[in-house]
Amino acid sequence: MICPKISLACVLLLLWFTSTGDAAYMKYLDPKQPTNTRIKDLISRMTLAEKIGQMTQIERGVASADVMKNYFIGSVLSGGGSVPAPQATPAVWVNMVNEFQKGALSTRLGIPMIYGIDAVHGNNNVYNATLFPHNIGLGATRDPDLVRRIGEATALEVRATGIPYTFAPCIAVCRDPRWGRCYESYSEDHRVVQQMTDIILGLQGDIPINHTKGVPYIAGKDKVAACAKHFVGDGGTHNGINENNTITDEHGLLGIHMPPYYDSIIKGVATVMVSYSSLNGVKMHANHDLVTGYLKSKLHFRGFVISDWLGIDRITSPPDANYTYSVQAGINAGIDMVMVPFNYTQYIDDVTSLVKKGIINMSRIDDAVRRILRVKFIMGLFENPLADLSFADQLGKKEHRDLAREAVRKSLVLLKNGNSPNQQFLPLPKKARSILVAGSHASNLGYQCGGWSIEWIGGSGDITVGTTILEAIKSTVADSTHVVYSENPDESFMKNNDFSFAIVVVGERTYAETTGDDPELTILDPGTDTIRTVCSTAKCAVVIISGRPVVIEPYLPMMEALVAAWLPGTEGQGVADVLFGDYGFTGKLPRTWFKSVDQLPMNVGDLHYDPLFPFGFGLTINSSQPGFSGADRLRDRNGGMIYVVLSLVLSVILMHASGIGIF
């Protein structure tokens, strides 16, 4: 047996073979062998139980070294907010991951497990991690290089906790802001989303020249496996209802929702997660035509397909009504690894029974295991299965926080600045007698970070380490400037104080997934009252902290300036950097800002397009022609006709190239 790099896996296997008197050469343990040779050799040695174990992903709360060993578990994950201890250090994370890994390595064949986590805007479950702006803010930057650098930083902070796999990026094309996951989408325009898939190159590393299309690529120990999600059409559900039905034709599917997957696969993405949603009434977790027929066969994706959390359970309505059928439908559709995440014994028993009855073919099991092993071999898990603390100093490091601060600056979109170009209110002066900072989101780090921040739906207050917008303002203005903070001042307070100007920071509550579905899209109370009270007395700039456009038109005349800051994450200093003129406004709307929710859904190119602020809008400061170019303005004022024509042409080309009929 050849083990050029000594690891626990090799040691355990050497001891086992010595004890049995079998010192045969094992091709799958030889990193000099081609990946396909190693896969073929290992699969030939595996029992059905070992194969099904590889297809099983369980939650850390039910995992242990014994469970890993006894059930040959192939993967473990942390659900949203699932941590080994409150404010756990990198050492605590690494020790937990290694405990599970040692259990996996102690099995007969010593196949390492892969640990996954939702690092969707930084390593967001982990205390003290750098939390970057959510995807909608990154879409406003229109900066693929920035997103790529964020991927690199995120990979290092995930590796700091001993984890090699993240369920990111979300490449949904959100077509209705009422959807509770809209902030996880970079844009309503698939072209912007396609550009932002460069984050995969940051997470996984640059793919080599002439790399085979569809084959995953992970560059080394400082990179992580990525996951493009949620396949496919999750951003187009009817009325923006999470996990609902996406009703579209072939043009809508191939021209809007599918393009980011083309780019992700070309960039070597390791895994793809299936959507909870349905497509024209067919649950995606059971959609063989798209998962196997299109993703695997037409797009030649060679990584593994993973279900969402309890995703196969939701194939039936109500969920889990017929679990055995759900297992059958999901795996036969082409799902390779199932995020169980708790009741793994029933899942394993059902798969075993279905295979023995011939309902699930062994060829389907072998295809799944082959794909899972390919990712594990490519990322070097067999040679380096155990985590260490070599990346511990990467968590929350200054360079990453500076990068996040840069991302915040570039994500800000200036929607209003005075009543005319000659009466601009921003940038604000750093030297002023007295400034009022008001609003529920001005001094609340949890609100600033949004969902998927320490907890699944986020939280309020000092949930982690970071800089609030209030703290940022105080550190930016001159020492002589008096900064007064009042979350929700009343009229008496305003009349009894004379402020040079006010900054009002309000926005949405925190939410994730279905908890964020909202047909009203209003600012969290008492946000609008705060705007009325403050802006009726003092000249004010309003900063909106939200995961999507919200109702703002009725209050627009009251304010001097309006800034969309999205969900900026831990580095609130980036907001003050731009408000006070150290940097200019460069962000452009990644999605249309509606006048009324009655207009929804409304996207650029629609015949009824009549926005408050159109897609691509964004003012600049001290410019004779603020905002975007005359060509862009003409395009948006005419309902995005250029966009429509280009999209139609692209879709025709894609449909012709695919040569299939899905509907």
Side-chain angles (χ1 to χ4, degrees):
M1 180 171 62
I2 297 175
C3 285
K5 296 181 180 179
I6 299 300
S7 68
L8 181 63
C10 291
V11 172
L12 290 171
L13 285 167
L14 280 168
L15 291 173
W16 188 84
F17 285 120
T18 300
S19 68
T20 59
D22 182 357
Y25 169 66
M26 315 286 279
K27 286 184 179 179
Y28 78 90
L29 290 175
D30 184 356
K32 294 181 180 179
Q33 292 288 340
T35 299
N36 286 339
T37 299
R38 300 179 76 183
I39 294 170
K40 183 177 180 180
D41 179 63
L42 181 50
I43 287 182
S44 71
R45 302 173 187 275
M46 295 174 71
T47 65
L48 177 61
E50 289 166 334
K51 291 177 179 178
I52 294 172
Q54 285 300 300
M55 299 171 63
T56 308
Q57 185 180 67
I58 64 174
E59 215 283 328
R60 55 158 293 280
V62 297
S64 69
D66 285 342
V67 168
M68 303 301 292
K69 178 182 178 180
N70 295 336
Y71 293 92
F72 313 105
I73 300 298
S75 185
V76 180
L77 83 150
S78 278
S82 179
V83 298
Q87 300 187 10
T89 63
V92 172
W93 279 96
V94 166
N95 289 338
M96 177 195 68
V97 172
N98 282 344
E99 179 189 356
F100 301 148
Q101 188 67 281
K102 289 172 184 176
L105 296 175
S106 69
T107 56
R108 182 178 70 94
L109 296 172
I111 304 173
M113 67 92 187
I114 183 172
Y115 197 105
I117 195 167
D118 284 280
V120 299
H121 66 133
N123 197 2
N124 48 258
N125 268 20
V126 179
Y127 185 80
N128 196 38
T130 307
L131 299 193
F132 296 90
H134 269 295
N135 286 356
I136 189 169
L138 298 182
T141 70
R142 304 294 203 277
D143 191 340
D145 177 69
L146 171 69
V147 171
R148 176 193 181 123
R149 288 184 284 135
I150 287 172
E152 292 174 349
T154 299
L156 289 169
E157 297 212 12
V158 172
R159 282 288 190 174
T161 52
I163 296 172
Y165 177 28
T166 174
F167 307 120
C170 177
I171 55 172
V173 182
C174 176
R175 304 292 286 176
D176 192 325
R178 293 174 292 185
W179 185 38
R181 304 192 79 148
C182 203
Y183 64 77
E184 297 185 55
S185 168
Y186 294 105
S187 178
E188 71 188 43
D189 184 343
H190 66 83
R191 295 171 299 180
V192 174
V193 180
Q194 287 176 272
Q195 290 179 325
M196 298 298 110
T197 59
D198 272 9
I199 194 172
I200 294 167
L201 301 176
L203 292 166
Q204 297 190 163
D206 289 328
I207 57 175
I209 298 173
N210 298 324
H211 183 72
T212 303
K213 177 188 173 184
V215 176
Y217 180 77
I218 299 99
K221 289 180 66 176
D222 61 343
K223 301 297 180 183
V224 295
C227 181
K229 65 184 188 183
H230 308 82
F231 188 81
V232 59
D234 51 335
T237 56
H238 181 62
N239 289 335
I241 299 172
N242 192 43
E243 304 183 21
N244 201 14
N245 188 30
T246 297
I247 305 167
T248 188
D249 56 13
E250 196 164 3
H251 160 65
L253 176 66
L254 298 183
I256 296 174
H257 299 288
M258 194 68 78
Y261 288 93
Y262 310 150
D263 290 69
S264 297
I265 290 168
I266 289 170
K267 292 168 185 174
V269 73
T271 71
V272 170
M273 184 181 290
V274 183
S275 176
Y276 286 131
S277 58
S278 301
L279 184 72
N280 296 327
V282 179
K283 290 278 189 177
M284 279 306 308
H285 273 74
N287 196 320
H288 179 275
D289 287 346
L290 283 174
V291 176
T292 295
Y294 199 84
L295 177 63
K296 291 183 174 181
S297 299
K298 292 293 180 181
L299 298 184
H300 305 292
F301 174 63
R302 301 278 296 281
F304 69 79
V305 176
I306 187 169
S307 80
D308 207 335
W309 175 279
L310 293 171
I312 62 168
D313 304 55
R314 289 164 160 84
I315 288 174
T316 59
S317 188
D320 203 20
N322 187 338
Y323 189 72
T324 301
Y325 168 76
S326 294
V327 171
Q328 169 192 332
I331 293 177
N332 280 339
I335 295 171
D336 303 311
M337 181 181 284
V338 173
M339 193 182 293
V340 178
F342 300 114
N343 195 5
Y344 55 90
T345 56
Q346 182 183 358
Y347 164 75
I348 290 171
D349 289 345
D350 280 356
V351 178
T352 304
S353 175
L354 289 165
V355 171
K356 289 181 176 179
K357 292 177 181 178
I359 297 172
I360 297 177
N361 293 329
M362 273 304 302
S363 60
R364 173 75 274 274
I365 298 296
D366 286 345
D367 171 63
V369 176
R370 187 178 299 111
R371 291 167 176 276
I372 293 165
L373 293 178
R374 179 177 292 116
V375 171
K376 291 183 176 183
F377 278 123
I378 287 172
M379 67 193 306
L381 270 180
F382 281 79
E383 287 68 59
N384 297 287
L386 293 176
D388 56 41
L389 293 175
S390 58
F391 295 105
D393 62 348
Q394 298 294 319
L395 191 75
K397 68 184 294 187
K398 181 181 184 301
E399 291 83 355
H400 296 167
R401 294 191 182 277
D402 288 344
L403 176 61
R405 180 175 171 180
E406 175 189 349
V408 173
R409 292 196 296 260
K410 292 181 175 179
S411 70
L412 302 181
V413 180
L414 181 57
L415 299 175
K416 179 181 179 180
N417 192 19
N419 295 316
S420 72
N422 297 323
Q423 295 179 335
Q424 296 185 5
F425 187 63
L426 299 180
L428 299 170
K430 294 180 182 179
K431 292 183 178 180
R433 182 179 46 77
S434 180
I435 299 173
L436 172 66
V437 179
S440 53
H441 290 56
S443 185
N444 193 312
L445 192 63
Y447 285 178
Q448 187 175 300
C449 293
W452 291 107
S453 301
I454 304 300
E455 298 290 346
W456 173 55
I457 61 171
S460 177
D462 295 331
I463 61 171
T464 188
V465 177
T467 303
T468 66
I469 295 171
L470 175 62
E471 290 168 337
I473 292 170
K474 288 181 176 179
S475 68
T476 301
V477 298
D479 292 340
S480 60
T481 299
H482 182 47
V483 178
V484 177
Y485 172 63
S486 177
E487 182 173 329
N488 185 32
D490 57 23
E491 292 181 4
S492 175
F493 177 88
M494 294 302 300
K495 289 178 180 178
N496 292 329
N497 288 275
D498 181 20
F499 298 108
S500 303
F501 57 85
I503 302 171
V504 179
V505 189
V506 293
E508 290 189 289
R509 60 185 174 85
T510 62
Y511 55 83
E513 301 187 46
T514 304
T515 68
D517 286 355
D518 186 356
E520 304 300 327
L521 297 179
T522 53
I523 292 170
L524 178 68
D525 286 337
T528 55
D529 289 338
T530 304
I531 293 173
R532 287 192 190 95
T533 302
V534 174
C535 297
S536 63
T537 305
K539 290 186 176 182
C540 71
V542 175
V543 178
I544 303 293
I545 305 296
S546 68
R548 52 202 166 183
V550 291
V551 175
I552 197 66
E553 185 185 34
Y555 319 105
L556 198 56
M558 305 175 188
M559 58 190 76
E560 298 296 320
L562 175 62
V563 176
W566 314 112
L567 297 170
T570 52
E571 307 313 303
Q573 188 65 50
V575 176
D577 287 343
V578 182
L579 286 180
F580 289 91
D582 290 332
Y583 294 83
F585 283 91
T586 59
K588 307 298 178 186
L589 284 181
R591 59 175 314 102
T592 299
W593 203 294
F594 57 84
K595 294 177 181 176
S596 165
V597 292
D598 295 335
Q599 297 175 295
L600 300 177
M602 178 177 63
N603 296 283
V604 61
D606 291 349
L607 293 177
H608 66 287
Y609 198 67
D610 181 29
L612 180 62
F613 301 108
F615 171 83
F617 182 83
L619 300 172
T620 55
I621 290 176
N622 294 330
S623 170
S624 59
Q625 295 294 331
F628 45 92
S629 69
D632 286 335
R633 188 177 292 115
L634 179 63
R635 178 195 68 183
D636 286 319
R637 286 180 178 175
N638 285 280
M641 292 310 297
I642 295 175
Y643 171 87
V644 174
V645 172
L646 289 176
S647 295
L648 285 170
V649 171
L650 176 61
S651 298
V652 170
I653 293 171
L654 291 172
M655 286 187 284
H656 177 72
S658 68
I660 65 166
I662 296 172
F663 299 88

XYZ file of all heavy atoms in Angstrom, residues 114 164-166 168-169 200 203-204 207 211 214-218 224-228 264-273 301-306 336 371-372 374-376 378-379:
346
model
N -17.407 14.082 4.232
C -17.293 15.492 3.856
C -18.298 16.292 4.681
O -19.481 15.936 4.749
C -17.504 15.700 2.341
C -17.309 17.176 1.968
C -18.856 15.173 1.874
C -17.300 17.414 0.456
N -14.724 21.610 4.755
C -14.267 21.695 3.364
C -15.359 21.911 2.322
O -15.089 21.814 1.129
C -13.630 20.315 3.161
C -14.515 19.398 3.957
C -15.024 20.211 5.129
N -16.607 22.206 2.758
C -17.728 22.199 1.805
C -18.755 23.228 2.236
O -19.145 23.275 3.404
C -18.341 20.799 1.782
C -19.555 20.563 0.912
C -19.808 21.291 -0.245
C -20.467 19.555 1.246
C -20.921 21.033 -1.035
C -21.576 19.286 0.462
C -21.810 20.025 -0.677
O -22.921 19.767 -1.462
N -19.173 24.097 1.301
C -20.220 25.070 1.607
C -21.388 24.955 0.638
O -21.192 24.738 -0.558
C -19.686 26.517 1.562
O -20.782 27.428 1.736
C -19.003 26.838 0.244
N -23.117 26.933 -1.096
C -23.158 28.254 -1.731
C -22.381 28.159 -3.040
O -21.475 27.325 -3.163
C -22.536 29.312 -0.806
N -22.744 28.991 -4.033
C -23.676 30.128 -3.979
C -25.095 29.772 -4.402
O -25.312 28.809 -5.140
C -23.066 31.080 -5.004
C -22.528 30.149 -6.066
C -21.987 28.960 -5.305
N -17.567 31.124 -7.432
C -17.162 29.714 -7.431
C -15.659 29.596 -7.624
O -14.993 28.763 -6.983
C -17.931 28.937 -8.520
C -19.417 28.882 -8.176
C -17.365 27.530 -8.712
C -20.299 28.411 -9.315
N -14.125 30.364 -4.290
C -14.317 29.285 -3.318
C -13.471 28.069 -3.649
O -12.858 27.464 -2.765
C -15.793 28.880 -3.265
C -16.774 29.893 -2.681
C -18.207 29.501 -3.009
C -16.598 30.019 -1.166
N -13.435 27.688 -4.925
C -12.824 26.427 -5.330
C -11.441 26.578 -5.962
O -10.668 25.628 -5.987
C -13.733 25.684 -6.323
C -15.070 25.295 -5.749
C -15.856 24.351 -6.644
O -16.791 23.725 -6.190
N -15.499 24.238 -7.901
N -9.949 27.153 -12.483
C -9.844 25.871 -13.178
C -8.676 25.920 -14.161
O -8.403 26.956 -14.759
C -11.159 25.519 -13.913
C -11.552 26.616 -14.897
C -12.270 25.249 -12.926
C -12.759 26.274 -15.739
N -9.447 22.334 -18.903
C -10.120 21.451 -17.947
C -11.414 20.922 -18.561
O -12.139 21.651 -19.235
C -10.434 22.215 -16.662
C -11.054 21.385 -15.581
N -10.349 20.448 -14.869
C -12.328 21.342 -15.104
C -11.149 19.872 -13.983
N -12.353 20.399 -14.107
N -17.609 20.275 -16.901
C -18.504 19.496 -16.072
C -17.836 18.751 -14.948
O -18.494 18.320 -14.005
N -16.510 18.584 -15.021
C -15.784 17.887 -13.967
C -15.448 18.878 -12.855
O -14.906 19.952 -13.122
C -14.487 17.253 -14.515
C -13.676 16.617 -13.383
C -14.818 16.219 -15.584
N -15.764 18.553 -11.604
C -15.469 19.478 -10.499
C -13.977 19.742 -10.379
O -13.137 18.921 -10.781
C -15.987 18.734 -9.264
C -16.963 17.743 -9.791
C -16.470 17.347 -11.139
N -13.660 20.904 -9.800
C -12.260 21.234 -9.548
C -12.153 22.003 -8.237
O -12.807 23.027 -8.052
C -11.673 22.069 -10.686
C -10.226 22.424 -10.448
C -9.234 21.475 -10.656
C -9.858 23.672 -9.967
C -7.897 21.765 -10.408
C -8.526 23.986 -9.719
C -7.551 23.026 -9.936
O -6.234 23.317 -9.676
N -11.340 21.486 -7.311
C -11.035 22.181 -6.063
C -9.521 22.246 -5.958
O -8.833 21.211 -6.003
C -11.644 21.480 -4.834
C -13.182 21.443 -4.944
C -11.259 22.209 -3.555
C -13.739 20.166 -5.442
N -12.622 25.322 -0.812
C -13.734 24.470 -0.389
C -14.576 24.087 -1.603
O -14.577 24.796 -2.615
C -14.633 25.178 0.654
C -13.865 25.443 1.936
C -15.222 26.469 0.100
N -15.264 22.966 -1.496
C -16.216 22.583 -2.528
C -17.419 23.514 -2.452
O -17.906 23.834 -1.365
C -16.652 21.134 -2.341
N -17.893 23.959 -3.604
C -19.046 24.864 -3.669
C -20.293 24.090 -4.091
O -20.225 22.926 -4.493
C -18.764 26.008 -4.642
N -21.435 24.769 -4.015
C -22.721 24.143 -4.339
C -23.617 25.172 -5.019
O -24.036 26.155 -4.399
C -23.390 23.630 -3.068
S -24.987 22.814 -3.331
N -23.899 24.975 -6.294
C -24.830 25.851 -7.010
C -26.256 25.431 -6.660
O -26.608 24.261 -6.781
C -24.598 25.748 -8.511
N -21.843 28.021 -13.960
C -21.323 27.344 -12.768
C -20.627 26.040 -13.136
O -19.559 25.710 -12.587
C -22.468 27.070 -11.785
O -23.052 28.276 -11.339
N -21.207 25.306 -14.048
C -20.625 24.023 -14.453
C -19.327 24.242 -15.219
O -18.333 23.534 -15.015
C -21.656 23.224 -15.267
C -22.781 22.763 -14.338
C -21.010 22.024 -15.967
C -23.996 22.211 -15.052
N -19.291 25.243 -16.075
C -18.060 25.575 -16.800
C -16.953 25.962 -15.818
O -15.775 25.672 -16.046
C -18.320 26.718 -17.805
C -19.184 26.209 -18.962
C -17.020 27.306 -18.332
C -19.693 27.306 -19.877
N -17.331 26.581 -14.701
C -16.350 27.020 -13.702
C -16.012 25.929 -12.695
O -15.330 26.196 -11.699
C -16.856 28.284 -13.005
C -16.892 29.485 -13.950
C -17.647 30.676 -13.405
C -17.739 31.770 -14.476
N -18.580 32.919 -14.072
N -16.475 24.700 -12.961
C -16.039 23.551 -12.179
C -16.747 23.333 -10.869
O -16.199 22.670 -9.971
N -17.969 23.852 -10.714
C -18.678 23.686 -9.440
C -18.773 22.203 -9.077
O -18.999 21.342 -9.926
C -20.074 24.348 -9.495
C -21.056 23.563 -10.362
C -20.628 24.551 -8.093
N -18.566 21.913 -7.785
C -18.469 20.523 -7.337
C -19.816 19.853 -7.137
O -19.962 18.647 -7.383
C -17.667 20.453 -6.038
N -20.801 20.622 -6.659
C -22.097 20.030 -6.348
C -23.224 20.960 -6.781
O -23.025 22.168 -6.945
C -22.242 19.735 -4.833
O -22.364 20.953 -4.098
C -21.034 18.960 -4.316
N -24.405 20.391 -6.940
C -25.612 21.149 -7.262
C -26.714 20.686 -6.313
O -26.906 19.484 -6.117
C -26.048 20.929 -8.720
C -27.435 21.537 -8.974
C -25.032 21.531 -9.688
N -27.408 21.641 -5.697
C -28.517 21.321 -4.793
C -29.842 21.514 -5.509
O -30.051 22.504 -6.201
C -28.476 22.201 -3.543
C -29.549 21.866 -2.504
S -29.504 22.946 -1.041
C -27.973 22.392 -0.282
N -22.720 17.544 -16.255
C -22.272 17.790 -14.890
C -21.791 16.479 -14.281
O -22.521 15.488 -14.260
C -23.406 18.393 -14.057
C -23.074 18.549 -12.600
C -22.045 19.389 -12.205
C -23.791 17.865 -11.636
C -21.726 19.538 -10.858
C -23.483 18.009 -10.289
C -22.451 18.837 -9.903
N -20.561 16.479 -13.748
C -19.954 15.246 -13.249
C -19.778 15.245 -11.729
O -19.273 14.262 -11.173
C -18.580 15.051 -13.908
C -18.613 14.977 -15.432
C -18.966 13.612 -15.953
N -17.957 12.642 -15.583
C -16.777 12.483 -16.186
N -16.470 13.279 -17.217
N -15.938 11.562 -15.793
N -20.142 16.334 -11.070
C -20.110 16.339 -9.618
C -21.337 15.629 -9.071
O -22.042 14.925 -9.785
N -21.621 15.830 -7.767
C -22.808 15.154 -7.229
C -23.955 16.123 -6.975
O -23.748 17.312 -6.716
C -22.485 14.296 -6.001
C -22.100 15.010 -4.730
C -23.052 15.591 -3.905
C -20.771 15.029 -4.315
C -22.701 16.199 -2.709
C -20.393 15.638 -3.114
C -21.369 16.224 -2.311
N -25.151 15.577 -7.089
C -26.387 16.313 -6.863
C -26.869 15.997 -5.453
O -26.980 14.825 -5.075
C -27.467 15.930 -7.897
C -28.779 16.646 -7.590
C -26.988 16.257 -9.307
N -27.152 17.030 -4.678
C -27.579 16.849 -3.298
C -28.987 17.397 -3.114
O -29.379 18.379 -3.754
C -26.582 17.528 -2.326
C -26.919 17.204 -0.868
C -26.514 19.037 -2.568
C -25.825 17.628 0.116
N -28.023 12.280 -5.743
C -26.933 11.388 -5.360
C -26.725 11.319 -3.852
O -26.477 10.249 -3.305
C -25.630 11.849 -6.020
C -25.747 11.931 -7.528
O -26.236 10.959 -8.133
O -25.370 12.976 -8.099
N -20.029 9.714 -8.271
C -19.992 11.173 -8.258
C -19.521 11.719 -6.908
O -18.728 12.668 -6.850
C -21.384 11.721 -8.600
C -21.788 11.468 -10.045
C -23.279 11.722 -10.280
N -23.609 11.571 -11.687
C -23.477 12.517 -12.606
N -23.035 13.720 -12.243
N -23.786 12.301 -13.856
N -19.995 11.110 -5.840
C -19.583 11.547 -4.504
C -18.096 11.300 -4.296
O -17.358 12.168 -3.808
C -20.419 10.816 -3.430
C -21.895 11.262 -3.518
C -19.860 11.076 -2.034
C -22.850 10.359 -2.770
N -15.841 11.041 -6.605
C -15.069 11.924 -7.485
C -14.760 13.245 -6.773
O -13.625 13.734 -6.805
C -15.820 12.179 -8.784
C -15.067 13.113 -9.739
C -15.802 13.285 -11.060
N -15.814 12.051 -11.830
C -16.897 11.358 -12.143
N -18.092 11.812 -11.752
N -16.823 10.253 -12.838
N -15.767 13.821 -6.146
C -15.554 15.089 -5.439
C -14.573 14.899 -4.282
O -13.660 15.710 -4.073
C -16.894 15.659 -4.935
C -16.668 16.856 -4.019
C -17.784 16.055 -6.108
N -14.713 13.811 -3.549
C -13.823 13.574 -2.412
C -12.377 13.361 -2.860
O -11.436 13.849 -2.227
C -14.322 12.384 -1.592
C -15.626 12.656 -0.847
C -16.052 11.479 0.026
C -17.308 11.819 0.821
N -17.717 10.730 1.738
N -11.042 14.475 -5.758
C -10.534 15.703 -6.372
C -10.127 16.729 -5.325
O -9.145 17.454 -5.493
C -11.587 16.282 -7.343
C -11.657 15.417 -8.613
C -11.289 17.733 -7.694
C -12.791 15.779 -9.546
N -10.857 16.790 -4.216
C -10.529 17.789 -3.205
C -9.458 17.316 -2.224
O -9.086 18.040 -1.294
C -11.772 18.239 -2.465
C -12.443 17.198 -1.602
S -14.094 17.736 -1.076
C -13.726 19.330 -0.344
